Amino acid sequence: MRKKPRNIPYDHDWQRLSKRFLRVHPMCMVRGCGRQAKHVDHIVTVRAAPHLRLAWSNLQALCRQHHSRLTHAYDRGRLCGACDVDGLPLDPAHPWAQLTQQEAIAAVNCKAPLDPYYAANLKRGWVRGEER
Ligand SMILES: [Zn+2]
């Protein structure tokens, strides 16, 4: 029987690094959260930037709730439910962000993926409580 292939992005090096990161950052880094951090999040996803998989500067410690919420909102190739303080969507490809009706219609019918670095910058800003 063949052995199941290892999950490369979450190998031994990752386990060691994430444990060390949580020792240095024991609390969720979302401003005002105050819960214990249980997860280490890749700000730019491993899929988008495999070379940043073990980069300390690409990591943030999060509680389970915020990790789940941020992954859903920012890491799936579209911004889902991520909005500014006025409730307007952050996704520049969202139909509401288009200048003309024709562009809005085109945006509705387009399934272009979001730039993962743009999403990562928004996610990082959200965690740090930066102005949106
Ligand atoms: Zn949190």
Side-chain angles (χ1 to χ4, degrees), residues 28-30 33-36 61-67:
C28 178
M29 292 169 85
V30 172
C33 173
R35 283 190 286 258
Q36 187 180 4
L62 299 172
C63 67
R64 189 174 52 77
Q65 292 92 330
H66 276 125
H67 192 213

Short mmCIF file of all heavy atoms in Angstrom, two decimals, residues 28-30 33-36 61-67, ligand 1:
data_model
loop_
_atom_site.label_atom_id
_atom_site.label_comp_id
_atom_site.label_asym_id
_atom_site.label_seq_id
_atom_site.Cartn_x
_atom_site.Cartn_y
_atom_site.Cartn_z
N CYS A 28 -4.37 37.03 19.54
CA CYS A 28 -4.88 37.33 18.19
C CYS A 28 -4.45 38.75 17.82
O CYS A 28 -4.58 39.68 18.61
CB CYS A 28 -6.39 37.21 18.15
SG CYS A 28 -7.12 37.62 16.55
N MET A 29 -3.91 38.89 16.60
CA MET A 29 -3.37 40.18 16.18
C MET A 29 -4.43 41.13 15.63
O MET A 29 -4.11 42.26 15.27
CB MET A 29 -2.25 39.94 15.15
CG MET A 29 -1.03 39.26 15.77
SD MET A 29 0.18 38.67 14.57
CE MET A 29 1.14 40.15 14.31
N VAL A 30 -5.67 40.68 15.57
CA VAL A 30 -6.74 41.60 15.14
C VAL A 30 -6.93 42.63 16.25
O VAL A 30 -7.15 42.27 17.41
CB VAL A 30 -8.06 40.85 14.88
CG1 VAL A 30 -9.20 41.83 14.63
CG2 VAL A 30 -7.90 39.91 13.69
N CYS A 33 -9.26 42.45 19.53
CA CYS A 33 -9.84 41.11 19.70
C CYS A 33 -9.63 40.60 21.13
O CYS A 33 -10.59 40.32 21.84
CB CYS A 33 -9.25 40.12 18.70
SG CYS A 33 -9.80 38.42 18.99
N GLY A 34 -8.38 40.45 21.55
CA GLY A 34 -8.09 40.03 22.92
C GLY A 34 -8.15 38.54 23.17
O GLY A 34 -7.88 38.10 24.28
N ARG A 35 -8.51 37.74 22.17
CA ARG A 35 -8.54 36.29 22.37
C ARG A 35 -7.16 35.70 22.13
O ARG A 35 -6.31 36.28 21.46
CB ARG A 35 -9.54 35.63 21.41
CG ARG A 35 -10.99 35.78 21.82
CD ARG A 35 -11.89 34.90 20.96
NE ARG A 35 -12.04 35.45 19.63
CZ ARG A 35 -13.12 36.11 19.21
NH1 ARG A 35 -14.15 36.29 20.01
NH2 ARG A 35 -13.18 36.59 18.00
N GLN A 36 -6.98 34.49 22.68
CA GLN A 36 -5.72 33.78 22.48
C GLN A 36 -5.62 33.35 21.01
O GLN A 36 -6.59 32.90 20.42
CB GLN A 36 -5.69 32.55 23.38
CG GLN A 36 -4.35 31.85 23.36
CD GLN A 36 -4.31 30.63 24.27
OE1 GLN A 36 -5.32 30.25 24.87
NE2 GLN A 36 -3.15 30.02 24.36
N ALA A 61 -0.75 35.98 13.74
CA ALA A 61 -1.38 35.07 14.69
C ALA A 61 -2.84 35.49 14.86
O ALA A 61 -3.14 36.67 15.06
CB ALA A 61 -0.65 35.14 16.03
N LEU A 62 -3.73 34.49 14.76
CA LEU A 62 -5.17 34.79 14.83
C LEU A 62 -5.87 33.80 15.73
O LEU A 62 -5.46 32.64 15.86
CB LEU A 62 -5.79 34.72 13.43
CG LEU A 62 -5.25 35.67 12.36
CD1 LEU A 62 -5.85 35.33 11.01
CD2 LEU A 62 -5.54 37.13 12.72
N CYS A 63 -6.99 34.25 16.32
CA CYS A 63 -7.86 33.33 17.02
C CYS A 63 -8.62 32.52 15.96
O CYS A 63 -8.62 32.88 14.77
CB CYS A 63 -8.83 34.09 17.93
SG CYS A 63 -10.03 35.11 17.05
N ARG A 64 -9.26 31.44 16.38
CA ARG A 64 -9.95 30.57 15.43
C ARG A 64 -11.03 31.33 14.65
O ARG A 64 -11.16 31.20 13.44
CB ARG A 64 -10.57 29.39 16.18
CG ARG A 64 -11.13 28.30 15.29
CD ARG A 64 -11.59 27.09 16.11
NE ARG A 64 -12.50 27.45 17.20
CZ ARG A 64 -13.81 27.74 17.03
NH1 ARG A 64 -14.33 27.68 15.83
NH2 ARG A 64 -14.57 28.05 18.06
N GLN A 65 -11.79 32.15 15.37
CA GLN A 65 -12.90 32.87 14.73
C GLN A 65 -12.40 33.83 13.65
O GLN A 65 -12.96 33.89 12.56
CB GLN A 65 -13.70 33.66 15.78
CG GLN A 65 -14.46 32.78 16.74
CD GLN A 65 -13.67 32.45 18.00
OE1 GLN A 65 -12.44 32.38 17.97
NE2 GLN A 65 -14.36 32.25 19.10
N HIS A 66 -11.35 34.60 13.99
CA HIS A 66 -10.86 35.56 12.99
C HIS A 66 -10.17 34.86 11.83
O HIS A 66 -10.26 35.32 10.69
CB HIS A 66 -9.93 36.59 13.66
CG HIS A 66 -10.71 37.71 14.29
ND1 HIS A 66 -10.57 38.05 15.61
CD2 HIS A 66 -11.66 38.52 13.77
CE1 HIS A 66 -11.42 39.06 15.87
NE2 HIS A 66 -12.08 39.35 14.78
N HIS A 67 -9.47 33.75 12.10
CA HIS A 67 -8.84 33.02 11.00
C HIS A 67 -9.89 32.54 10.02
O HIS A 67 -9.76 32.71 8.80
CB HIS A 67 -8.02 31.86 11.54
CG HIS A 67 -7.13 31.25 10.51
ND1 HIS A 67 -6.82 29.92 10.49
CD2 HIS A 67 -6.49 31.80 9.45
CE1 HIS A 67 -6.01 29.68 9.45
NE2 HIS A 67 -5.80 30.80 8.82
ZN ZN B 1 -9.33 37.32 17.05
#
